[in-house]
Amino acid sequence: MGGAPVQDRTTPSRRTLLTATAAGAAAVALAAGPASAHGDARAQAATRDRLKRLISRMSLEEKVGQLFVMRVYGHSATAPDQADVDANLTEIGVRTAAELIERYHVGGIIYFVWAHNTRDPHQIADLSNGIQQAGLAQPTPIPLLISTDQEHGIVARVGKPATLVPGAMALGAGGSRSDAREAARIAGAELAAMGIVQNYAPVADVNVNPANPVIGVRSFGADPQSVAGLVAAQVRGYQSAGIAATSKHFPGHGDTKDDSHYALPTIHHTREQWGELDAPPFQAAIAAGIDSIMTAHIVVPALDPSEDPATLSRPILTGILREQLGYDGVVVTDSLGMAGVRQKYGDERVPVLALKAGCDQLLNPPSLPLAWNAVLDAVKTGELTEQRLEESILRILLLKTKLGLFRGPFVTHEGVDRKVGTRSHLKAADRIAEETTTLLANEGGLLPLSPRRHADVLVVGADPASPSGTTGPPTTTLATAFTELGFAATVVSTGITPTAAKIDEAVAAAAGKDVVVVGTYNVSATSPQRTLVARLAATGVPVVTVAIRNPYDIAQLTGMGAAASLAAYSWTDVELRAAVRVIAGRAEPSGRLPVPVQRADDPAQVLYPVGYGLRY
């Protein structure tokens, strides 16, 4: 990635970062204890005692703040762009991340692309350092848990030049626990180098409902035991890199037709079905030593007849997760800004009820001032006890201690250069991706293509926005990959809902081509993508479809005339390049479906079962 850029005037010097403040150093010495604090029971007890003494010195306001993980706009902790200052003032009432920490004493910050937190790895490292410096400048100096949703695949907040590895369902198609662990280790090492120490991954949901609008390829698959094994592998991979993994969304979001961002889904599994289908990946994560678990904004009547969302359900979070499954790590809510948790109770009640249910971290409330004051008032009125807050704070501080934040919360530009987007990481990502591409149909042995017989390739299809803002567009990525392998490739971007004019343009462009490759995206029964494929096939030019999200597209495209079909499971560059190498015969199609594909005209019938996949 080259040398470290010159820091701007708002970036603290390395000496300032290392020394922080005298009070900060005192807190570090108090909380960190011996380096072997987790090596034996006596040392662990001593660490807990030190942290309890630290908690006893905190004001009530500091204790309340420690429970919150909040978004904040801007690329810098102290000098964001004016538009981000304005957004912070509108939504939070502060100008910067540093002011947010000073006023509300939050225990964590979550990074988003849309909040302009993740421009590039060096900037992210500087932002993380600025946040940690603000944490150590508080009356009770405490470092922060900086987190993000870096699931990879279709959910990625940090993009190129950082390494993007295959997402969950792609890894499920690869079926290798060692690859899953290696992908997580690479991702975790790069996040840690940028100061991001808590990743909201891996997804532990078992995607048994093809119509699931929110999980889909974010899940490893439909088989609970396979998902459990891959979840445990990724937990070990992330945590071996020194960051906290977070399995989500407890008690299981895989069998729903509603998106909890916009509605409150209900899971109709019996308790026995939950134990067989949904529980195994979470049990595996706990057995692997998972540091944190995220709740789901879903109703599961068999687990809680009150029909409260799981995030607010004491029977689910305390009764099942804590007591039945024996989990005593950090429990973080899914975003409190999602409709699934806001519908039954108002925003003022949600954070209080989440704490009463058993949550420790309150993630991204729509109004931090409202939520923060609601918790503060609940303690003052006796609805919540200070002891209850301290139970969660101790878990949070134990995690911060485990992650080494009290000993050394800062990162360096040199560390970014050594770890982020390295040649070895990128090579490993490409190798892992090659094991995931799944070949579902290959009529007449069309594939693999060769530059000699199929020199002229037309690439058309959908171009969804890059998950991280740094990859794609997919049709261009596919065409570039073909060109690099010796083909002549041209592009017509037809979109997710191609118009009649776009379809006509693609058909005209197909004239004289040797093959057409179509990137499809969540094809439905009424999607004009079906018409696009049928019209292209009618030209007589062989058509290859590549499902760049859910692998279920082929069910809607059966009978449309495509000669070959593959599933890539995501539209990020690493997975699209791997798909092209498979199409061109530079890699074997090794992937196997981790979910069944049902017939479009009769969902009771399976068109392609779990484990299906052709080879050359």
Side-chain angles (χ1 to χ4, degrees), residues 70 89 257 289 309 428 546-547 559 595:
M70 190 59 184
L89 286 170
K257 61 180 179 59
V546 181
V595 294

Side-chain angles (χ1 to χ4, degrees), residues 437-455:
T437 306
T438 307
L439 179 61
L440 299 174
N442 190 21
E443 293 183 13
L446 172 66
L447 303 184
L449 304 180
S450 76
R452 182 172 51 83
R453 290 181 293 111
H454 310 96

Side-chain angles (χ1 to χ4, degrees), residues 267-605:
I267 304 291
H268 296 288
H269 292 176
T270 66
R271 195 176 185 101
E272 291 72 23
Q273 287 174 322
W274 174 82
E276 294 173 0
L277 292 173
D278 302 292
F282 292 100
Q283 292 170 314
I286 293 169
I290 187 77
D291 283 326
S292 50
I293 290 177
M294 180 179 284
T295 67
H297 305 325
I298 57 173
V299 168
V300 189
L303 304 184
D304 183 356
S306 75
E307 300 196 6
D308 280 343
T311 299
L312 310 182
S313 168
R314 186 170 178 83
I316 291 175
L317 298 187
T318 297
I320 296 176
L321 182 56
R322 295 284 192 208
E323 297 172 359
Q324 180 181 326
L325 300 186
Y327 178 67
D328 193 36
V330 171
V331 173
V332 55
T333 71
D334 205 343
S335 171
L336 298 184
M338 294 165 60
V341 78
R342 301 177 70 186
Q343 289 187 351
K344 190 172 182 179
Y345 302 98
D347 290 338
E348 191 172 8
R349 293 297 299 155
V350 165
V352 176
L353 294 174
L355 291 170
K356 293 175 76 171
C359 293
D360 301 306
Q361 289 184 302
L362 304 169
L363 177 61
N364 202 29
S367 169
L368 179 62
L370 179 68
W372 190 88
N373 282 296
V375 175
L376 187 67
D377 291 344
V379 177
K380 290 179 177 179
T381 61
E383 183 178 5
L384 286 170
T385 65
E386 220 166 324
Q387 180 184 0
R388 169 65 194 90
L389 266 59
E390 291 173 359
E391 290 174 1
S392 287
I393 295 167
L394 180 59
R395 291 191 186 100
I396 293 166
L397 296 187
L398 282 168
L399 180 53
K400 292 181 178 183
T401 302
K402 176 185 176 183
L403 297 174
L405 293 176
F406 283 103
R407 290 194 305 273
F410 302 113
V411 294
T412 66
H413 286 198
E414 293 79 9
V416 170
D417 287 331
R418 284 196 308 270
K419 294 288 187 180
V420 179
T422 64
R423 184 177 300 176
S424 64
H425 284 180
L426 295 170
K427 184 176 180 180
D430 282 337
R431 179 193 63 77
I432 293 169
E434 284 184 354
E435 303 297 320
T436 68
T437 306
T438 307
L439 179 61
L440 299 174
N442 190 21
E443 293 183 13
L446 172 66
L447 303 184
L449 304 180
S450 76
R452 182 172 51 83
R453 290 181 293 111
H454 310 96
D456 209 349
V457 179
L458 173 66
V459 178
V460 307
D463 277 328
S466 166
S468 65
T470 64
T471 65
T475 53
T476 300
T477 298
L478 290 166
T480 300
F482 275 113
T483 300
E484 290 173 350
L485 295 180
F487 296 83
T490 54
V491 172
V492 175
S493 178
T494 50
I496 295 173
T497 54
T499 62
K502 272 293 178 185
I503 293 173
D504 288 342
E505 180 184 351
V507 169
K513 302 298 182 186
D514 297 313
V515 68
V516 181
V517 175
V518 185
T520 66
Y521 182 97
N522 290 6
V523 181
S524 67
T526 59
S527 172
Q529 292 179 74
R530 300 175 78 239
T531 304
L532 172 68
V533 171
R535 289 278 308 280
L536 287 168
T539 66
V541 178
V543 173
V544 178
T545 64
V546 181
I548 64 172
R549 186 168 178 169
N550 289 324
Y552 310 112
D553 288 2
I554 191 170
Q556 296 292 346
L557 296 174
T558 298
M560 295 294 108
S565 294
L566 304 94
Y569 305 101
S570 177
W571 61 95
T572 53
D573 291 6
V574 67
E575 287 163 282
L576 295 180
R577 289 196 308 266
V580 171
R581 290 196 296 277
V582 168
I583 291 171
R586 303 300 178 89
E588 183 74 18
S590 302
R592 297 289 181 267
L593 279 176
V595 294
V597 175
Q598 298 158 320
R599 287 180 53 144
D601 58 350
D602 184 4
Q605 301 294 317

Side-chain angles (χ1 to χ4, degrees), residues 112-137:
F112 291 105
V113 176
W114 51 260
H116 311 135
N117 304 137
T118 56
R119 290 181 179 178
D120 66 75
H122 285 288
Q123 166 269 317
I124 296 169
D126 287 340
L127 173 60
S128 299
N129 284 341
I131 286 170
Q132 297 296 6
Q133 188 181 29
L136 295 182

Side-chain angles (χ1 to χ4, degrees), residues 190-220:
E190 297 199 6
L191 291 175
M194 293 178 275
I196 300 171
V197 295
Q198 185 178 22
N199 190 21
Y200 297 138
V203 171
D205 303 315
V206 181
N207 200 70
V208 295
N209 187 343
N212 193 323
V214 64
I215 304 301
V217 292
R218 297 169 64 195
S219 164
F220 290 104

